[in-house]
Amino acid sequence: MDRATAEEIIAAEGLERAVWFQVPAGKPDAVAVFETSDGYRVVSTDERAVEIGPRDFQDESEALEPFITLLRDLKELIASGVGC
């Protein structure tokens, strides 16, 4: 997946709370993808904006797949009325 495709999916599916290529400092209940010195990292944040479940990838396209999956999961969780 490339950035343009990921952006299209985010817009088309109304996936909110995406932190796009930034460290999610101070952003509660979000999903982030950002560049690190070793590649790319995908994380979620909890209600206190603490990073949880970091996963590292060498390739940007590999990182974007789980980023979109986590955004979809978060949207579903919010729609169910659980948390967030």
Side-chain angles (χ1 to χ4, degrees):
M1 178 179 306
D2 60 21
R3 286 188 191 200
T5 302
E7 287 179 311
E8 288 173 13
I9 292 169
I10 289 168
E13 296 183 21
L15 302 175
E16 299 177 0
R17 302 181 189 222
V19 180
W20 190 249
F21 289 93
Q22 296 177 31
V23 175
K27 305 229 188 264
D29 300 318
V31 179
V33 60
F34 57 92
E35 206 164 341
T36 67
S37 61
D38 297 322
Y40 297 87
R41 177 168 286 171
V42 176
V43 298
S44 295
T45 61
D46 66 12
E47 68 279 356
R48 298 175 316 252
V50 174
E51 289 184 23
I52 53 175
R55 294 194 289 179
D56 294 316
F57 302 89
Q58 296 295 316
D59 185 69
E60 179 179 302
S61 64
E62 291 175 4
L64 290 172
E65 293 284 342
F67 174 66
I68 294 297
T69 298
L70 287 170
L71 283 171
R72 286 174 172 151
D73 291 347
L74 181 58
K75 179 180 179 179
E76 193 173 304
L77 184 66
I78 291 168
S80 75
V82 176
C84 309

